[in-house]
Amino acid sequence: MQYPNGKKSSVYTKLKSNQTVYSNRGMSLEDDINDTNQYYLAHNIAIIHKKPTPVQIVHVDYPKRSAAVIKEAYFKQASTTDYNGIYKGKHIDFEAKETKNKHSLPLHNIHQHQIDHMKQIVNHGGICFLLIRFSVSQETFLFPAEELFPYWDQQFNGGRKSIRYETVKKLGYIIPIRFQAKVDYLAVIDKYYMENGGTTNGR
Amino acid sequence: MQYPNGKKSSVYTKLKSNQTVYSNRGMSLEDDINDTNQYYLAHNIAIIHKKPTPVQIVHVDYPKRSAAVIKEAYFKQASTTDYNGIYKGKHIDFEAKETKNKHSLPLHNIHQHQIDHMKQIVNHGGICFLLIRFSVSQETFLFPAEELFPYWDQQFNGGRKSIRYETVKKLGYIIPIRFQAKVDYLAVIDKYYMENGGTTNGR
């Protein structure tokens, strides 16, 4: 498991308890997802990884007797979502977005090609969604890709450039916070996707 | 689509013809897979992407009025395979290996954690394999992960540290070279996996 910020996993020290925690302030959504994915992996529940940050490498030095050093590189826009993998034989694909805004999720940090990718995944029978955290209230929602697309599209027809908190709450599913799986999104998938044959239509 | 070597895609100039080509010398396996994946994507056949190269970023400069520049970074070992995605609702996961060796594929450039990852994917019902190219004969094989594991394991019990060409030929499936899909591995998956309910056991 990669911990890009150098933090060590806290998963293994937490396996002793089944306790539910109700507050988790201070950890980023990405940290929580990484811990959750590591928990899923360690317990053979699902195999889900974050993709590496895409980087355009321009110049590399190859010093004698030591590792190659990248001396010039640039961040590239991701062409897909950040997370994917497999759960109960199904392809899972999602993106995580955290906002400090209390009342809505701004759409400006989602990109058109990520939406295109999500449409393709849905079209091919994958389970695809956004994980949305409102950091002030510390609530995290699973928002199905199928529900996202109309809100994405309407911004180009004069509509809002964000999704209201109330909409996320109404069309999304709140994710239980557990001590072991901090953002236990598979619990939501079990309940709302798997029971309805892989769609949210049966809701 | 990323073309790490700066080459432009040649897919679009090739869509006019259904012609089968029998020789493809000079293109790397990675280039051919990228072209093939782009063809699959453009024709809505499958959604399969190469993961970005994992890089440990140490130092970034943020110059005024221009893009952030990564000034120091190092290559990291991948913790998964390089390619994954979705095809006919199934999770697909694979690694590509090319060798100039005529008689065998050396195992030293596959890593233990990639094998661990492949075992997990198989265990969770994904379609998982190696694409192996013998560059001298320009033959490319799909070698199912299930067939790879015993050869991987036996090297630690005094066995060979490579897989013989004859073994690859016997237990793998040769991949047709097509003008549009240069390494048309989905043709093999259609024939050998999908008809047998997602396994190669029916062979």
Side-chain angles (χ1 to χ4, degrees):
Chain A
M1 286 288 97
Q2 308 308 335
Y3 284 82
N5 55 0
K7 264 183 3 78
K8 281 195 186 156
S9 165
S10 53
V11 167
Y12 291 106
T13 59
K14 284 174 184 160
L15 298 185
K16 293 165 199 162
S17 165
N18 258 320
Q19 183 185 350
T20 300
V21 289
Y22 297 97
S23 173
N24 190 31
R25 286 170 203 278
M27 289 285 278
S28 75
L29 177 56
E30 183 177 326
D31 288 337
D32 285 350
I33 294 171
N34 284 346
D35 278 3
T36 303
N37 287 345
Q38 188 158 350
Y39 173 80
Y40 290 156
L41 197 64
H43 290 74
N44 200 26
I45 295 166
I47 314 302
I48 295 167
H49 289 274
K50 185 175 192 295
K51 292 190 180 180
T53 303
V55 158
Q56 181 72 47
I57 296 166
V58 174
H59 180 69
V60 183
D61 266 8
Y62 297 92
K64 281 182 192 170
R65 281 183 288 277
S66 62
V69 189
I70 299 163
K71 300 293 268 185
E72 184 186 355
Y74 299 89
F75 294 102
K76 289 194 298 190
Q77 249 186 23
S79 54
T80 65
T81 50
D82 269 0
Y83 300 89
N84 78 2
I86 186 167
Y87 175 55
K88 294 186 178 173
K90 299 281 275 182
H91 183 85
I92 299 270
D93 200 294
F94 64 97
E95 184 67 26
K97 294 294 172 197
E98 188 162 12
T99 180
K100 290 174 181 170
N101 195 318
K102 278 186 195 180
H103 304 297
S104 65
L105 174 78
L107 291 170
H108 61 74
N109 56 352
I110 306 174
H111 305 295
Q112 182 64 52
H113 46 254
Q114 290 182 314
I115 297 288
D116 295 342
H117 174 74
M118 294 176 99
K119 286 183 177 174
Q120 290 163 337
I121 294 297
V122 168
N123 186 28
H124 283 260
I127 294 176
C128 190
F129 50 87
L130 275 189
L131 292 185
I132 302 171
R133 174 171 290 175
F134 291 95
S135 53
V136 173
S137 65
Q138 282 287 307
E139 289 172 301
T140 310
F141 295 90
L142 185 153
F143 197 71
E146 295 90 331
E147 305 287 4
L148 171 64
F149 302 147
Y151 288 92
W152 178 264
D153 293 340
Q154 79 178 15
Q155 69 176 317
F156 304 107
N157 299 315
R160 295 175 59 88
K161 296 194 187 321
S162 63
I163 308 177
R164 286 179 208 273
Y165 170 83
E166 293 305 329
T167 305
V168 173
K169 199 166 181 172
K170 187 178 155 202
L171 300 179
Y173 304 93
I174 190 136
I175 295 177
I177 300 167
R178 299 226 163 84
F179 203 66
Q180 300 187 354
K182 292 177 167 189
V183 215
D184 189 9
Y185 55 90
L186 294 182
V188 170
I189 288 171
D190 275 339
K191 197 161 175 185
Y192 297 103
Y193 282 80
M194 293 299 183
E195 288 177 3
N196 298 314
T199 74
T200 55
N201 297 337
R203 180 179 181 143
Chain B
M1 288 286 99
Q2 308 308 334
Y3 285 81
N5 54 1
K7 265 185 358 81
K8 282 196 186 156
S9 165
S10 52
V11 167
Y12 292 106
T13 59
K14 284 172 184 162
L15 299 184
K16 293 165 200 161
S17 166
N18 257 321
Q19 183 185 350
T20 298
V21 290
Y22 297 97
S23 173
N24 190 30
R25 286 168 204 279
M27 289 284 279
S28 75
L29 177 57
E30 183 177 327
D31 289 338
D32 285 350
I33 294 171
N34 284 346
D35 278 3
T36 302
N37 287 345
Q38 188 158 351
Y39 173 81
Y40 290 157
L41 196 65
H43 290 73
N44 200 27
I45 296 166
I47 315 301
I48 295 166
H49 288 275
K50 185 174 191 295
K51 292 190 181 182
T53 303
V55 157
Q56 180 73 46
I57 296 166
V58 174
H59 180 68
V60 183
D61 267 7
Y62 297 92
K64 281 181 192 171
R65 282 182 289 275
S66 63
V69 190
I70 299 163
K71 301 292 269 184
E72 184 186 355
Y74 299 88
F75 294 102
K76 289 194 299 190
Q77 248 187 23
S79 53
T80 65
T81 49
D82 269 359
Y83 300 88
N84 79 2
I86 187 167
Y87 175 56
K88 294 186 179 175
K90 299 280 275 183
H91 183 83
I92 299 269
D93 200 295
F94 65 96
E95 184 67 26
K97 295 293 171 198
E98 187 161 13
T99 181
K100 289 175 183 170
N101 195 318
K102 277 186 196 179
H103 304 296
S104 65
L105 175 78
L107 292 171
H108 61 74
N109 56 353
I110 306 174
H111 306 296
Q112 181 64 52
H113 47 254
Q114 291 182 314
I115 298 287
D116 295 342
H117 173 75
M118 295 176 98
K119 286 183 178 175
Q120 289 163 338
I121 295 296
V122 168
N123 187 28
H124 282 261
I127 294 176
C128 190
F129 51 87
L130 274 189
L131 292 186
I132 302 170
R133 173 171 292 175
F134 291 94
S135 52
V136 172
S137 64
Q138 283 287 308
E139 288 172 301
T140 309
F141 296 90
L142 185 152
F143 197 70
E146 296 89 330
E147 305 287 5
L148 170 65
F149 302 147
Y151 288 92
W152 178 263
D153 293 340
Q154 79 178 15
Q155 69 177 319
F156 305 107
N157 299 316
R160 295 174 58 90
K161 295 195 188 321
S162 63
I163 308 176
R164 286 180 209 275
Y165 170 84
E166 294 304 330
T167 304
V168 173
K169 198 166 182 172
K170 187 177 154 203
L171 300 178
Y173 304 93
I174 190 135
I175 295 176
I177 301 166
R178 299 228 163 83
F179 202 66
Q180 300 186 353
K182 292 177 167 188
V183 214
D184 189 9
Y185 55 89
L186 293 182
V188 169
I189 287 172
D190 274 339
K191 197 161 177 185
Y192 296 104
Y193 281 80
M194 293 300 185
E195 288 177 4
N196 297 315
T199 74
T200 54
N201 297 336
R203 181 180 181 140

